[in-house]
């Protein structure tokens, strides 16, 4: 029993040191992911790979409808995917919420980054299948009190989950 406790303590200490080093490196701009633009913000590109050539993803420079709806809020790049396996469709917000405002928006479910991720997912579906797929409504499960946390996670997954 004592060995498990000691191992847990050592593991937690090592994890703390690693997190501290990463955060320090980010503040000093030594972390490779911490590229800072001229206005001082860190760009966060969200990318999906679409199984279509770039000519079909953005014909004549026209973006897929879900991304076009966001208008000037986002910057979009259309490039060949690595290994010539389709198209990398990337988007990022021009003005990303930061600090307390960004955290509050994320908790409230109104974070504009969620809109970007959703638009990318919908664009991928539209380009690959020709329609935007929706989950079945109503679900086939019986809602119980112990399943409430799962129900909450599922309801928020459309705005957060993987691209």
């Amino acid at each position: 029993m004592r060995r498990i406790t000691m191992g847990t303590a050592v593991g937690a200490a090592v994890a703390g040191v690693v997190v501290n080093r990463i955060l320090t490196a980010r503040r000093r701009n030594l972390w490779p992911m911490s590229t800072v633009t001229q206005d001082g913000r860190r760009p966060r590109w969200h990318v999906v790979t679409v199984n279509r050539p770039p000519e079909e993803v953005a014909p004549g420079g026209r973006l897929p409808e879900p991304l076009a709806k966001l208008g000037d809020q986002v910057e979009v790049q259309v490039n060949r995917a690595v290994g010539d396996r389709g198209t990398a469709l990337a988007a990022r917000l021009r003005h990303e919420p930061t600090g307390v405002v960004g955290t509050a928006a994320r908790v409230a479910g109104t974070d504009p980054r969620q809109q970007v991720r959703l638009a990318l997912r919908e664009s991928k579906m539209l380009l690959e299948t020709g329609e935007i797929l929706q989950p079945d409504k109503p679900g086939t499960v019986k809602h119980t009190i112990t399943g409430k946390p799962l129900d909450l996670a599922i309801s928020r997954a459309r705005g957060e989950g993987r691209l």
Side-chain angles (χ1 to χ4, degrees):
M1 177 84 170
R2 192 156 205 239
R3 288 183 185 181
I4 293 173
T5 307
M6 187 62 123
T8 304
V10 169
V14 169
V17 169
V18 169
V19 168
N20 184 30
R21 294 276 174 120
I22 289 172
L23 293 176
T24 303
R26 281 185 174 181
R27 271 187 245 122
R28 294 181 185 164
N29 292 329
L30 301 174
W31 186 257
M33 300 297 285
S34 64
T35 308
V36 179
T37 60
Q38 291 176 342
D39 60 353
R41 65 184 173 90
R42 289 181 171 82
R44 297 186 188 271
W45 288 96
H46 303 281
V47 184
V48 292
T49 303
V50 181
N51 192 16
R52 295 275 183 260
E55 303 80 44
E56 291 181 26
V57 172
R62 287 177 302 149
L63 296 174
E65 181 189 349
L67 281 172
K69 282 182 185 177
L70 296 177
D72 289 337
Q73 287 181 325
V74 294
E75 295 176 54
V76 179
Q77 290 183 352
V78 179
N79 300 312
R80 287 210 174 276
V82 176
D84 201 27
R85 297 178 184 212
T87 303
L89 184 59
R92 74 173 174 185
L93 287 170
R94 292 187 189 276
H95 303 289
E96 197 170 276
T98 58
V100 177
V101 173
T103 304
R106 186 168 184 162
V107 170
T110 59
D111 190 355
R113 290 175 286 208
Q114 292 174 342
Q115 295 172 351
V116 173
R117 288 189 289 269
L118 181 62
L120 282 169
R121 268 195 308 275
E122 289 180 350
S123 296
K124 178 180 173 74
M125 283 187 254
L126 194 59
L127 290 164
E128 290 182 349
T129 66
E131 62 181 310
I132 297 174
L133 306 172
Q134 296 293 325
D136 291 337
K137 297 280 182 172
T140 58
V141 298
K142 179 180 177 187
H143 296 285
T144 62
I145 191 72
T146 57
K148 288 293 181 186
L150 179 60
D151 292 339
L152 177 63
I154 290 171
S155 71
R156 303 239 358 233
R158 292 284 296 162
E160 285 294 328
R162 292 183 175 183
L163 293 173

